[in-house]
């Protein structure tokens, strides 16, 4: 099989669903153990979701503005993640 045959919009949807489940689990675990909070989880999960939405838009033939919006959301989310890590003094995330 070629890569084009494997990369379908349904596969991207499944990865997005797994990302959502992972985010919920990390948020739940964070509340139980005192790990980084929901904002931290949403900041890096949002970056991944934005990239996946952009990929989904391209694969499904949606308008270009949808892909651009996904990329913009990923960029903003990434900046929030880096900014939040810097504010906490966590140099390993930068």
């Amino acid at each position: 099989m070629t890569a084009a045959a494997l990369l379908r919009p349904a596969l991207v949807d499944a990865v997005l669903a797994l990302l959502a489940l992972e985010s919920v689990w990390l948020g739940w675990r964070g509340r139980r153990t005192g790990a980084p909070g929901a904002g931290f989880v949403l900041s890096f999960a949002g970056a991944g979701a934005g990239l996946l939405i952009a990929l989904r838009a391209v694969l499904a033939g949606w308008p270009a503005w949808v892909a651009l919006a996904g990329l913009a959301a990923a960029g903003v989310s990434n900046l929030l993640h880096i900014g939040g890590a810097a504010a906490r003094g966590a140099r390993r995330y930068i």
Side-chain angles (χ1 to χ4, degrees):
M1 279 193 180
T2 64
L6 292 175
L7 197 54
R8 304 264 184 214
L11 177 63
V12 177
D13 292 342
V15 173
L16 272 168
L18 288 173
L19 180 64
L21 287 173
E22 178 189 25
S23 298
V24 169
W25 178 75
L26 287 172
W28 172 78
R29 188 193 71 162
R31 288 185 184 196
R32 284 190 61 217
T33 63
F40 180 77
V41 170
L42 290 178
S43 66
F44 70 80
L51 291 174
L52 286 170
I53 289 169
L55 176 62
R56 173 77 163 88
V58 170
L59 291 175
W62 293 348
W65 67 266
V66 178
L68 290 174
L71 291 173
V76 168
S77 187
N78 193 30
L79 288 175
L80 290 173
H81 178 72
I82 292 170
R88 286 187 306 277
R91 293 279 180 212
R92 65 185 175 138
Y93 294 113
I94 296 176

